[in-house]
């Protein structure tokens, strides 16, 4: 597991370093991906802005953040900077395995005088937060990198830090769909191959002891499935 986490961290660190140089690696995809018959469908989503991930309105409307809430962003990537979380009234906490990501977010928060909780470099399966600390949370674009054993540990840990009846949104790959297949090819090219190996039914069985599923929707034209959850305690 530690080796897997290191691979993902190094890949995102590399992406951050290229980004600081003005290089977007997603704009330099190899021919075998660009010429794939399913790539136009993925590209159409990109051009339309539908590959929105954690910025989609449904997440905000479900979590309903307010100034008295603490929000935990699991595998936060650059959501605080690019996905609108800096505009949320709740207090932001982020955790990510990439040290360069946390470094960049710290710079962003400081430069913009953001009043946030904390930013932590680490894995979401073992977090430095107290039990029942967060009112709301999200984990978008993260679980796809891991097999069932790690996913199970991450779910247990998310359950630990979220308050009773707290709301939590996460997503998983919708394996077998054309858009998901292209997403997985791209992530493999980036050096962080997706390892998720569960059907939606298997995943739902995994989380049922920890979270109540209030709704599940396909996003990114079926490439991912988002779950809107209520924490059981």
């Amino acid at each position: 597991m530690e080796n897997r986490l290191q691979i993902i961290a190094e890949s995102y660190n590399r992406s951050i370093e290229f980004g600081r140089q003005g290089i977007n690696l997603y704009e330099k995809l190899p021919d075998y991906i660009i010429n794939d018959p399913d790539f136009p469908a993925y590209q159409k989503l990109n051009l339309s802005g539908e590959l929105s991930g954690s910025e989609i309105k449904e997440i905000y409307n479900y979590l309903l953040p307010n100034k008295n809430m603490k929000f935990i962003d699991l595998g936060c990537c650059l959501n605080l900077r690019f996905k609108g979380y800096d505009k949320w009234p709740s207090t932001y906490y982020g955790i990510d395995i990439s040290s360069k990501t946390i470094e960049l977010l710290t710079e962003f928060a400081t430069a913009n005088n953001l009043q946030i909780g904390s930013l932590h470099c680490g894995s979401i399966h073992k977090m430095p937060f107290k039990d029942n600390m967060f009112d709301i949370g999200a984990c978008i674009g993260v679980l796809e990198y891991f097999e069932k054993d790690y996913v199970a540990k991450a779910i247990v840990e998310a359950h630990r830090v979220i308050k009773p009846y707290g709301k939590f949104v996460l997503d998983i790959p919708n394996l077998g769909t054309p858009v998901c297949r292209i997403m997985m090819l791209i992530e493999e090219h980036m050096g962080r191959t997706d390892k998720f190996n569960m059907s939606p039914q298997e995943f739902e069985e995994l989380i049922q002891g920890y979270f109540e599923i209030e709704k599940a929707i396909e996003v990114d034209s079926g490439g991912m499935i988002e779950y809107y959850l209520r924490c059981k305690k």
Side-chain angles (χ1 to χ4, degrees), residues 4-139:
R4 178 69 183 154
L5 292 170
Q6 182 178 354
I7 289 172
I8 296 169
E10 290 175 351
S11 176
Y12 274 102
N13 285 345
R14 184 168 58 251
S15 295
I16 294 292
E17 290 300 317
F18 275 110
R20 286 185 182 276
Q21 300 171 42
I23 301 171
N24 183 348
L25 295 179
Y26 286 94
E27 295 177 352
K28 296 181 178 295
L29 299 175
D31 289 344
Y32 75 89
I33 294 179
I34 294 174
N35 295 329
D36 189 286
D38 289 328
F39 184 74
Y42 170 88
Q43 189 176 40
K44 183 179 179 181
L45 294 178
N46 248 345
L47 294 174
S48 68
E50 193 173 336
L51 284 172
S52 52
S54 57
E55 69 183 347
I56 66 171
K57 294 179 180 179
E58 284 86 352
I59 292 179
Y60 182 95
N61 292 338
Y62 177 72
L63 296 179
L64 293 175
N66 66 54
K67 65 180 181 179
N68 297 316
M69 290 180 171
K70 291 180 179 178
F71 167 60
I72 179 62
D73 188 8
L74 304 182
C76 58
C77 196
L78 297 179
N79 295 336
L80 182 66
R81 181 173 179 178
F82 293 119
K83 300 298 185 180
Y85 290 162
D86 58 322
K87 305 296 192 301
W88 285 22
S90 48
T91 302
Y92 182 90
Y93 291 77
I95 180 169
D96 197 278
I97 197 65
S98 162
S99 61
K100 296 296 183 181
T101 292
I102 297 302
E103 180 182 298
L104 185 56
L105 288 183
T106 300
E107 293 174 8
F108 173 76
T110 300
N112 291 274
N113 296 314
L114 298 181
Q115 300 300 311
I116 64 174
S118 66
L119 296 167
H120 179 78
C121 183
S123 171
I124 65 171
H125 84 291
K126 191 176 182 181
M127 295 185 283
F129 305 120
K130 296 178 180 179
D131 294 356
N132 305 321
M133 181 170 173
F134 300 102
D135 303 275
I136 53 177
C139 181

Side-chain angles (χ1 to χ4, degrees), residues 132 134-135 159 162-167 230-233:
N132 305 321
F134 300 102
D135 303 275
H159 177 263
I162 295 176
K163 293 180 179 180
Y165 309 107
K167 293 181 178 180
R230 182 79 70 166
C231 187
K232 297 179 180 179
K233 291 285 176 85

